[in-house]
């Protein structure tokens, strides 16, 4: 197994493992050895320093001992009678024999030289100074230079053999009887080549060599052999006294704590330190060899072990891939490899199952599945496709039809809902690219025979069109009917109102009243039908205006109070609406909702009361308007409650007979409430009464100061002069009524029966201040005539249109053509009054 490192170089797993082991063991051992070496070196260095210190003290001790013994013997001789006698008599023989005898007794503690002076003159010497090459004169001068006292005097004296370094001491020779100083005994030792001293140091210390030196000059040494080399050492002594093989310690000799210029160097072999260092090197070498051996062994062992296991794992994956079936792994002694193999096994199994599922899906699918290569060649088909496109010609059709889509899909697009006709059947195809390694290799096209579905779709489309057509026809019929009915009704109501104004007889008036009411009722039913047909066709529009909400109560009170009074039913209107609350909503439709509910309540109540509660709750700009209409009337059966809002539904079949009505009122209320985003609920008990509750959201509206000003304008005084009106109306009754109304306002009316005539009159007569234009006219319709007057003739004369169908669309068309106002027929006095007020406000000033 090879692993790729950062630089792309591949390395064996065993090498990586071995390197890591080698590095960690190596570093560990190195650190241990280093630390051990450091500790040992400190110990050795301390030991060396201690040894040097000891040697130094020992050398000084030996020297002190020697000097002390010389002092003692010198002091003891100085009182010896023989010496005194010899000195006094200056007899050399006595003195010679005296000192000889002493030296024989203890030769070890004899000084190097002795001499005696008396009366400032040397009277005796042992001739050793001459042996050291020092002349009598020099001795004399040395003696004189010495200060009286018992201390040692260190001096140097040139001699025939070079510079001599001397240590001398003087003692007075005193006659103990008389106390007289008869002379001075001088003793001394020469440090140059003082082998006795060197030997004494050698014997007592364990040094290999002893050197006496003054500065860097060696004046005595225990071995002549290496003297030169030692000289070199001493020259460098300021730098280091040790060259590794030898340990050198230096003692600056003192006599009675007075420093001499002589130093003693003891040279000891540094063998054990050397051995210690050597043994360390050997250990490092041995350890390194050991680590290398272990590394090589580990590398080989790991290589064998890991490679074998990996090979078996790889063999397993390769065979499984080749044989395309999930077999079981034999197992590995390495746990991780076992786990890897386990996950391989699971993946292979899942893959195998997926493949099996896919094959089954492919084979058992009832819809045709085809597999294509990216060049548009059909590769494979499933049995369902085989059945459908078996015949050669059919298969050719399939390929011809699908190939362009396959090629498009090969660019990476997924195509759905592609319909093709093959062998008189319609197939709907979904095409999806199949990718492997980020490359599209195949396209799968899955089809579905939708021949019957298409046929059903076609039929349902035809049915829908038919239904729409009949709905349109029904709506048209309703619109036409309402127009046809309204026109004569217009006549009936108009004439009745005119006659009513002229009648004086009470009974005549009553009859006329009934006529008016019947006409109004018929108009209400007609309006209901028209509203409902508008709602059904989705042509119903809510027109919002600002108005005072309280106006709704006064209207309802005015209309129904007299009716209830006449029936002996109590009529109560409760409202906590603020007088000054202005809202923004469709006042007409709100009125219609209340009116329908209250008229039902009044209609179906014969005793007790009809109670209306109007309430509004506002928060910021939003209000919730609630209407409760509660009666103690006949009530509605529970079973009918659910469908009471459906159109043309009445609680009982007998209702129509007894109470009349179209069964549209509640359906319209329900639709209006829904359009206005509100909700309506109903609670009723048969024989006890009914309660309808409506909730409708409203917005706060801006107060309209001039609104409705002059709604009740007096026709006699509205205009101060005669207005010339052109009335365009083909229906004689309508024309008669309209004319009569206009005349009430002191207007002069010119009447024509179609659009063409109207245009002619307008062309000729410019005294006309207002045109009242009907819609449906012979020769040239009202809308077309308006358009010509405005746009072709370019006349600005105000045109007030009158439409009988009450459709919003007709109204809009009129306004688009150039009309200034639209009055809905049948023309009622109030509506006309409003229209004339509008005319006065907007156009009269122009006339004036
Ligand atoms: P209609 O024009 O027949 O009154 P509506 O849609 O207004 O049509 O009412 C449908 C039916 O619901 C009525 O015919 C009547 O049977 C019943 N209904 C409506 N309101 C009341 C009420 N307040 N009390 C009893 N029955 C009512």
């Amino acid at each position: 197994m090879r692993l790729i490192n950062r630089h792309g170089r591949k390395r064996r797993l065993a090498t990586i493992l071995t390197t890591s082991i080698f590095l960690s063991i190596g570093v560990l051992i190195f650190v241990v050895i280093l630390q051990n070496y450091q500790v040992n070196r400190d110990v050795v260095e301390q030991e060396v320093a201690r040894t040097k210190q000891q040697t130094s003290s020992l050398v000084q001790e030996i020297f002190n001992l020697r000097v002390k013994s010389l002092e003692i013997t010198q002091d003891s001789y100085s009182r010896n009678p023989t010496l005194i006698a010899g000195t006094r008599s200056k007899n050399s023989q006595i003195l010679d024999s005296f000192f000889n005898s002493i030296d024989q007794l203890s030769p070890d503690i004899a000084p190097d030289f002795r001499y005696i002076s008396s009366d400032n003159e040397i009277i005796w010497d042992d001739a050793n100074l001459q042996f050291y090459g020092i002349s009598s004169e020099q001795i004399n001068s040395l003696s004189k230079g010495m200060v009286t006292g018992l201390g040692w005097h260190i001096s140097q004296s040139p001699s025939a053999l070079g510079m001599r370094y001397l240590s001398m001491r003087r003692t007075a020779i005193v006659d103990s009887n008389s106390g007289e100083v008869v002379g001075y005994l001088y003793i001394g030792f020469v440090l140059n080549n003082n082998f006795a001293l060197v030997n004494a140091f050698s014997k007592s210390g364990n040094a290999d060599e002893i050197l006496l030196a003054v500065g860097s000059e060696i004046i005595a040494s225990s071995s002549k052999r290496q003297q030169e080399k030692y000289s070199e050492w001493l020259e460098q002594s300021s730098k280091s006294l040790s060259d590794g093989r030898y340990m050198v310690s230096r003692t600056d000799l003192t006599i009675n704590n007075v420093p001499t210029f002589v130093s003693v160097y003891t040279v000891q072999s540094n063998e054990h330190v050397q051995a210690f260092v050597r043994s360390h090197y050997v250990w490092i070498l041995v350890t390194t060899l050991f680590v290398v051996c272990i590394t090589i062994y580990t590398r080989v062992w790991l290589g064998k072990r890991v490679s074998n296991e990996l090979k078996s794992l790889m063999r397993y994956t390769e065979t499984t891939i080749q044989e395309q079936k999930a077999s079981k792994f034999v197992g590995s002694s390495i746990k991780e490899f076992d786990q890897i193999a386990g996950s391989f096994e699971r993946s292979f199994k899942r893959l195998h199952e997926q493949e099996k599922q896919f094959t089954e899906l492919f084979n058992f699918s009832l819809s045709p599945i085809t597999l294509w290569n990216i060049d548009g060649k059909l590769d494979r088909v499933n049995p369902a496709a085989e059945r459908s496109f078996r015949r050669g010609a059919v298969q050719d059709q399939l390929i011809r039809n699908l190939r362009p889509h396959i090629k498009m899909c090969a660019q990476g697009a997924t195509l759905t809902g592609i319909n093709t006709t093959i062998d008189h059947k319609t197939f709907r195809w979904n095409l999806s690219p199949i990718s492997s390694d980020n490359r599209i290799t195949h396209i799968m096209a899955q089809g579905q025979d939708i021949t019957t579905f298409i046929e059903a779709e076609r039929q349902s489309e035809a049915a829908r069109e038919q239904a729409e057509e009949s709905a349109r026809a029904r709506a048209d019929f309703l619109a036409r009917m309402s127009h046809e009915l309204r026109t004569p009704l217009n006549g009936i109501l108009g004439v009745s109102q005119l006659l009513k104004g002229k009648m004086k007889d009470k009974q005549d008036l009553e009859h006329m009243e009934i006529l008016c009411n019947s006409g109004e009722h018929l108009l209400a039913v007609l309006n209901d039908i028209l509203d409902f047909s508008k709602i059904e066709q989705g042509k119903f529009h809510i027109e919002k205006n600002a108005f005072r909400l309280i106006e709704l109560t006064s209207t309802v009170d005015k209309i129904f109070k007299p009716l209830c009074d006449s029936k002996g039913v109590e009529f109560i209107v409760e409202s906590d609406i603020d007088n000054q609350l202005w809202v923004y909503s469709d006042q007409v439709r709100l009125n219609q909702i209340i009116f329908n509910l209250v008229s039902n309540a009044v209609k179906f109540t014969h005793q007790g009361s009809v109670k209306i509660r109007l309430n509004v709750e506002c928060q910021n700009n939003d209000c919730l308007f609630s209407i409760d209409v509660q009666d103690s009337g006949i009530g509605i059966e529970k079973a009918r409650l659910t469908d009471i809002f459906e159109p043309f539904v009445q609680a009982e079949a007998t209702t129509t007979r007894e109470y009349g009505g179209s069964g549209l009122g509640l359906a319209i209320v329900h639709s209006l409430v829904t359009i206005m985003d509100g909700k309506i609920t109903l609670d009723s008990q048969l024989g006890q009464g009914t309660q309808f509750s409506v909730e409708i959201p409203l917005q706060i509206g801006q107060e309209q100061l001039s609104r409705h000003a002059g709604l009740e304008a007096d026709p006699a005084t509205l205009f101060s002069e005669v207005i010339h009106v052109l009335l365009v109306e083909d229906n004689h009754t309508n024309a008669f009524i309209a004319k009569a109304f206009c005349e009430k306002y002191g207007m002069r009316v010119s009447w024509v029966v179609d659009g063409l005539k109207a245009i002619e009159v307008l062309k000729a007569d410019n005294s006309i201040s207002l045109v009242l234009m009907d819609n449906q006219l012979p020769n040239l319709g009202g809308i077309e005539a308006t358009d010509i007057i405005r746009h072709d003739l370019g006349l600005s004369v105000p045109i007030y249109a009158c439409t009988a169908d009450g459709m919003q669309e007709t109204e809009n068309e009129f306004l688009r053509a150039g009309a200034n106002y639209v009055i809905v027929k049948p023309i009622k006095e109030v509506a006309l009054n409003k229209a004339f007020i509008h005319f006065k406000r907007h156009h009269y000033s122009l006339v004036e």
Side-chain angles (χ1 to χ4, degrees), residues 588-753:
V588 176
R589 299 307 165 190
L590 282 177
N591 245 327
Q592 195 174 355
I593 292 168
I594 298 172
F595 185 89
N596 278 0
L597 293 177
V598 178
S599 72
N600 274 349
V602 173
K603 185 158 77 175
F604 296 109
T605 306
H606 307 296
Q607 61 193 35
S609 64
V610 170
K611 201 187 264 177
I612 297 139
R613 261 191 309 275
L614 300 176
N615 188 25
V616 69
E617 271 173 33
C618 293
Q619 217 172 36
N620 301 328
N621 223 13
D622 296 313
C623 302
L624 190 68
F625 180 43
S626 54
I627 307 159
D628 282 306
V629 180
Q630 190 183 6
D631 65 57
S632 57
I634 60 170
I636 306 165
E637 222 182 319
K638 247 201 174 65
R640 310 302 305 269
L641 286 179
T642 45
D643 56 3
I644 206 81
F645 292 114
E646 296 295 321
F648 309 109
V649 167
Q650 293 184 326
E652 299 289 337
T654 50
T655 310
T656 320
R657 253 177 283 137
E658 211 176 323
Y659 300 97
S662 60
L664 279 177
L666 286 183
I668 291 172
V669 167
H670 187 259
S671 301
L672 287 177
V673 170
T674 311
I675 292 171
M676 294 173 93
D677 297 327
K679 62 174 193 220
I680 179 163
T681 51
L682 152 73
D683 185 21
S684 185
Q685 291 270 323
L686 197 63
Q688 307 249 317
T690 308
Q691 176 170 358
F692 284 92
S693 302
V694 177
E695 277 182 350
I696 293 173
L698 308 170
Q699 273 88 48
I700 298 267
Q702 284 292 319
E703 187 175 337
Q704 309 275 305
L705 283 176
S706 60
R707 192 180 165 273
H708 291 326
L711 183 69
E712 302 287 333
D714 182 2
T717 56
L718 188 60
F719 300 106
S720 52
E721 47 185 274
V722 179
I723 308 282
H724 189 179
V725 177
L726 175 65
L727 176 66
V728 193
E729 171 66 74
D730 61 332
N731 185 291
H732 287 243
T733 325
N734 285 350
F736 172 72
I737 294 161
K739 209 168 162 228
F741 277 136
C742 288
E743 278 162 359
K744 272 189 165 182
Y745 291 82
M747 292 172 166
R748 179 158 70 85
V749 180
S750 304
W751 172 39
V752 292
V753 290

Side-chain angles (χ1 to χ4, degrees), residues 366-369 384 387-389 418-430 446-455:
L366 291 178
S367 17
I369 302 173
R387 279 194 296 278
S388 300
F389 315 115
I418 290 168
N419 291 356
T420 57
T421 309
I422 302 166
D423 196 19
H424 309 296
K425 283 185 184 163
T426 309
F427 286 89
R428 180 163 291 172
W429 298 93
N430 291 335
Q446 198 176 2
Q448 198 187 355
D449 184 353
I450 53 161
T451 317
T452 49
F453 174 70
I454 290 275
E455 180 56 24

